[in-house]
Amino acid sequence: MAYYFYLGKILCPIAPSKLQIKINNKNKTMTLMNGGEINILKQAGLTDISFDLLLPNVKYPFATYKSDFQKAKTYIDELEKLKAGKKPFQFIVTRTFPDGKMLFDTNIKVSLENYDIKEDRKEGFDIIASVTLKQYKDYGTKICNVTFVSAKPKVSKKMAKPRTSNSDKIGIGSDVIVNGRLHRDSFGNGAGQTKTNYKGKVNFINMKGSHPYHVTTLSGAWLGWVTASSIQGV
């Protein structure tokens, strides 16, 4: 089977003997309260590619060139341009049968992460370049206009006369005993502290919410919203 390796527009003269393509994992394992584990599946991470590239300084009959023979320094200079250029490029591997029929190919946009230049006496005049690539995905920024709203809950204020301690109805200004959990808004969002036999005062009412009464301390400091069953008039 014949291999052809392209780094951008560069045709590598000799295809590496080994190619490693690692599809990285982004799944997350969580531990449950009962001690069991679950695996939260997510999209795969960026792919890592690595191989050792032989860069000959002498002409071999099995090497492939776009035009004439080029020495190793030509390819080393091209690797430096890819690294210093800070731009992604296409990594392409084509695989064909001996008769030239296409088997399959790899075509992925990458960045040049690392490359090491090695010289070994066993390789004679040739150079080894260990290359590491990482998948590159195009991205862009988007401008969003964010509007900040007041932290105070929006409620409809219903005016009512302060009630006496023996009144059957609870209104704004009523003294109450609270036995229940406080919430951030009248629809039960943002659960907070739980009060037991706490004496407070009603300052807002929103009967459209599931937690229609907003209570404060006797001095007027805000506490939170509670259900109707959580308060009792005093």
Side-chain angles (χ1 to χ4, degrees):
M1 185 165 58
Y3 284 81
Y4 298 93
F5 274 63
Y6 288 86
L7 296 176
K9 297 181 179 180
I10 306 169
L11 172 61
C12 301
I14 300 175
S17 59
K18 294 181 180 180
L19 168 66
Q20 180 173 329
I21 301 178
K22 181 181 179 183
I23 290 79
N24 289 303
N25 175 52
K26 293 288 287 183
N27 297 342
K28 187 174 183 179
T29 301
M30 302 288 289
T31 302
L32 302 177
M33 294 181 65
N34 62 5
E37 287 186 327
I38 59 173
N39 193 18
I40 301 176
L41 303 182
K42 299 184 178 182
Q43 291 185 352
L46 297 177
T47 297
D48 291 323
I49 302 169
S50 59
F51 53 86
D52 286 341
L53 190 62
L54 177 63
L55 303 177
N57 272 314
V58 294
K59 191 172 183 178
Y60 295 118
F62 51 82
T64 304
Y65 301 93
K66 280 188 175 181
S67 55
D68 295 331
F69 165 73
Q70 300 288 337
K71 291 186 178 180
K73 188 177 185 308
T74 300
Y75 299 95
I76 294 174
D77 291 343
E78 291 296 334
L79 288 173
E80 177 59 25
K81 289 179 182 179
L82 291 175
K83 183 63 178 176
K86 301 178 183 178
K87 293 182 179 180
F89 55 90
Q90 293 299 128
F91 171 68
I92 301 173
V93 180
T94 62
R95 304 166 180 85
T96 62
F97 288 108
D99 60 2
K101 185 178 180 180
M102 177 67 70
L103 183 57
F104 70 99
D105 63 5
T106 298
N107 191 337
I108 183 173
K109 185 177 286 189
V110 297
S111 60
L112 177 56
E113 295 296 297
N114 301 290
Y115 70 95
D116 298 329
I117 304 300
K118 303 176 184 178
E119 296 184 65
D120 193 325
R121 182 176 61 183
K122 294 184 296 183
E123 302 297 338
F125 299 106
D126 300 333
I127 303 295
I128 299 293
S130 295
V131 178
T132 301
L133 310 174
K134 184 178 287 291
Q135 181 183 13
Y136 180 89
K137 291 185 178 181
D138 293 314
Y139 63 92
T141 58
K142 184 177 181 180
I143 299 175
C144 297
N145 294 321
V146 180
T147 302
F148 294 95
V149 298
S150 173
K152 293 184 179 180
K154 295 181 179 179
V155 298
S156 59
K157 296 183 180 180
K158 292 186 177 181
M159 301 301 296
K161 294 181 179 180
R163 62 175 290 277
T164 60
S165 60
N166 61 354
S167 173
D168 294 331
K169 295 183 179 180
I170 297 176
I172 294 176
S174 298
D175 293 335
V176 292
I177 299 297
V178 181
N179 284 284
R181 176 162 289 186
L182 304 169
H183 292 76
R184 185 181 64 243
D185 60 35
S186 62
F187 297 100
N189 297 312
Q193 296 180 346
T194 298
K195 297 293 187 181
T196 302
N197 293 327
Y198 183 87
K199 188 173 182 180
K201 189 180 291 289
V202 173
N203 70 326
F204 291 125
I205 299 175
N206 180 20
M207 298 310 295
K208 293 182 180 180
S210 58
H211 296 62
Y213 296 98
H214 188 272
V215 295
T216 70
T217 64
L218 293 178
S219 61
W222 288 20
L223 295 176
W225 295 85
V226 296
T227 61
S229 61
S230 298
I231 60 172
Q232 182 181 2
V234 294

